[in-house]
């Protein structure tokens, strides 16, 4: 989970690619294509408004960046982390739709917040990955 990660979506390859942590860093420094934000939003089943919030951007900035060639390293890293999470969640739930529904469901473990509410920070992404790991290994949460 921490060393291998499903990391990004592209038009050439619509399914997450496993990347090591160092590969994820290198890929984020290269910058993702602007269109990959939309691919990850569709994969997670979120609207442009929700995706902009996850990236800590306005909707206008999100749309503008979707049209540019390469995204900056910070935005690329956030997208890679979200792509990794989407791939891991689909594996744990064995269905992308089930995972996406789970993302929107408030959990007592999270103070009655949904996992999606926490994905706007790297700490939140890590927390949700940890919960998915516990689900994957059958640990009661």
């Amino acid at each position: 989970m921490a060393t291998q990660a499903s990391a990004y979506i592209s038009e050439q390859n619509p399914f997450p690619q496993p990347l090591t942590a160092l590969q994820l860093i290198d890929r984020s420094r290269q910058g993702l294509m602007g269109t990959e934000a939309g691919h990850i939003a569709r994969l997670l089943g979120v609207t442009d408004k929700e995706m902009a919030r996850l990236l800590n951007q306005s909707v206008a900035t999100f749309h503008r960046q979707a049209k540019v060639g390469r995204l900056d390293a910070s935005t690329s890293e956030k997208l890679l982390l979200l792509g990794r999470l989407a791939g891991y969640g689909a594996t744990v739930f064995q269905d992308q739709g089930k995972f996406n529904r789970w993302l929107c469901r408030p959990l007592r473990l999270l103070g009655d917040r949904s996992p999606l509410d926490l994905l706007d920070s790297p700490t939140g992404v890590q927390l949700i990955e940890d919960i998915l790991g516990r689900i994957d290994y059958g640990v009661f949460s």
Side-chain angles (χ1 to χ4, degrees), residues 49-97:
K49 183 178 179 180
E50 291 170 314
M51 191 63 172
R53 183 188 65 80
L54 295 179
L55 297 174
N56 299 310
Q57 299 176 342
S58 69
V59 176
T61 300
F62 174 72
H63 286 150
R64 187 172 50 255
Q65 285 197 338
K67 295 176 184 174
V68 300
R70 295 235 177 245
L71 300 173
D72 62 67
S74 177
T75 302
S76 294
E77 182 176 21
K78 288 177 186 178
L79 286 170
L80 289 165
L81 291 173
L82 291 171
R84 173 178 71 189
L85 182 76
Y88 187 46
T91 300
V92 169
F93 283 88
Q94 299 178 349
D95 180 77
Q96 190 70 51

Side-chain angles (χ1 to χ4, degrees), residues 7-19:
Y8 71 97
I9 308 301
S10 71
E11 290 181 293
Q12 296 80 23
N13 188 5
F15 301 103
Q17 293 289 320
L19 295 178

